[in-house]
Amino acid sequence: MRSTRGQRSKPCPIILTQRDLNILSLTGLVKHLSTVQIAREFFPSVDRARRRIRKLYDNQLLNITLAGSTRSNLVSLSTSGLNLLKTKRPEVAERIRLPKAIRLSSIEHRLACTDTRLYVAAWCRQNNLKLLRWANAGGDVERELGLDEYHLEPDGCFEVETRKGIIHTACEIDCGSEGRRVLLRKLDKYVNAFEDRTLKELWIILTTPGKQRQNTFTQLAKEKNLTRHIRLMTLDTINQRPVKPVVKTLSEVFKVSHNLENVSNGTVN
């Protein structure tokens, strides 16, 4: 009998692989993953990811939340899955807390935060950089940096070790719902954090691509003199695999555009 979406079937014997443990570990760390995200990170196709997730679900290692007929299912770690990790990967399990119910209205933003985290990890691996920590809003990285003193609570913050030292970058997920005044006040709070060198950069991830929204952020960054600190990206770009190089800062973009304009005008040798 075919299994029903959202209902467990009778469990069948399963041999857990390292990939299964990786899926359980990542799911526990980020609280909620979509099947599409799991497929992107661990499988050659979404269909193969769905079949494996179904086995883990039927064996009560994962929970599934139906997000709607047009949305990918949300996957979270179950109590049994956490208990398994306590045996197999205790160093990971001690960092995991079982998730609370997720509001459907916050799914887009939550998954975009996870997409950004996965991109940062993959980008660091590709460039031989050491990702020391990632924290969501209100996490340990933000607290230790004292971002609350600037009245800042980025959607994400990560710490990377480079040859020039450790740098801290904030991430903001933009779903297109905030007006210009709100965005201006938000960027205004970052000014002192950059002047004090508490933060190195701000990555702004646009969930909905569009020139108008990009132009809005570009203009605001100019007004606040933050172009050298801001990288403006789209969700589509960071979700591509193999991983795309990180985009240029806005000031670098302006410099390239200026040079190209000079070349076209014949003013550069």
Side-chain angles (χ1 to χ4, degrees):
M1 181 177 177
R2 186 177 181 181
S3 55
T4 304
R5 186 178 184 226
Q7 294 182 352
R8 284 189 172 91
S9 300
K10 183 178 179 180
C12 57
I14 182 173
I15 298 176
L16 291 174
T17 65
Q18 287 301 312
R19 180 171 64 183
D20 293 330
L21 293 175
N22 290 340
I23 292 171
L24 296 177
S25 299
L26 179 59
T27 305
L29 290 171
V30 303
K31 300 296 190 291
H32 291 91
L33 279 171
S34 71
T35 52
V36 171
Q37 289 172 326
I38 292 175
R40 185 198 311 141
E41 297 303 312
F42 299 108
F43 293 91
S45 70
V46 175
D47 285 341
R48 285 188 61 180
R50 286 197 185 105
R51 289 195 293 269
R52 195 60 183 177
I53 291 169
R54 184 78 210 194
K55 287 188 176 182
L56 295 172
Y57 171 66
D58 287 340
N59 281 271
Q60 302 187 13
L61 298 174
L62 291 174
N63 290 326
I64 290 179
T65 301
L66 305 184
S69 59
T70 59
R71 283 176 167 172
S72 177
N73 289 342
L74 295 181
V75 178
S76 57
L77 192 67
S78 68
T79 301
S80 297
L82 178 56
N83 289 335
L84 175 69
L85 288 178
K86 288 179 179 178
T87 300
K88 300 291 187 179
R89 293 186 175 176
E91 73 285 355
V92 174
E94 66 182 12
R95 298 160 54 195
I96 293 175
R97 298 293 181 271
L98 292 178
K100 298 178 181 179
I102 184 172
R103 298 195 309 271
L104 294 181
S105 60
S106 68
I107 288 176
E108 179 186 11
H109 187 271
R110 178 77 67 85
L111 294 181
C113 287
T114 299
D115 284 327
T116 306
R117 176 176 181 165
L118 295 174
Y119 172 80
V120 169
W123 172 72
C124 286
R125 289 194 300 270
Q126 180 173 285
N127 291 276
N128 295 318
L129 298 174
K130 188 174 182 180
L131 176 60
L132 300 177
R133 288 185 295 174
W134 167 281
N136 289 331
D140 54 354
V141 178
E142 296 177 15
R143 288 195 300 272
E144 291 174 18
L145 290 176
L147 294 186
D148 57 327
E149 297 179 9
Y150 305 101
H151 305 289
L152 281 173
E153 191 175 284
D155 294 317
C157 193
F158 62 92
E159 184 179 73
V160 174
E161 183 177 11
T162 71
R163 285 176 293 182
K164 296 182 179 181
I166 295 175
I167 62 173
H168 296 94
T169 300
C171 299
E172 292 283 355
I173 309 300
D174 178 71
C175 296
S177 58
E178 296 176 324
R180 191 179 189 279
R181 289 185 179 179
V182 174
L183 297 177
L184 191 60
R185 288 197 298 269
K186 182 180 288 188
L187 290 184
D188 196 40
K189 295 176 183 178
Y190 278 98
V191 173
N192 290 335
F194 290 126
E195 288 180 350
D196 296 342
R197 298 186 179 181
T198 301
L199 291 172
K200 174 70 173 178
E201 293 182 347
L202 169 62
W203 291 10
I204 299 176
I205 313 300
L206 306 177
T207 63
T208 304
K211 287 295 183 182
Q212 184 174 352
R213 195 65 174 175
Q214 293 182 37
N215 289 339
T216 296
F217 273 106
T218 299
Q219 292 167 4
L220 295 178
K222 284 182 178 179
E223 288 182 30
K224 292 299 177 181
N225 195 28
L226 295 177
T227 56
R228 67 186 182 279
H229 298 291
I230 292 179
R231 299 182 192 269
L232 197 57
M233 314 181 209
T234 66
L235 193 60
D236 289 341
T237 297
I238 68 171
N239 282 343
Q240 292 184 41
R241 297 294 185 272
V243 174
K244 295 292 183 180
V246 67
V247 302
K248 297 179 182 296
T249 63
L250 289 178
S251 62
E252 291 171 329
V253 172
F254 296 149
K255 183 177 180 179
V256 170
S257 299
H258 178 71
N259 288 341
L260 289 175
E261 183 179 352
N262 287 341
V263 169
S264 66
N265 293 332
T267 57
V268 175
N269 293 330

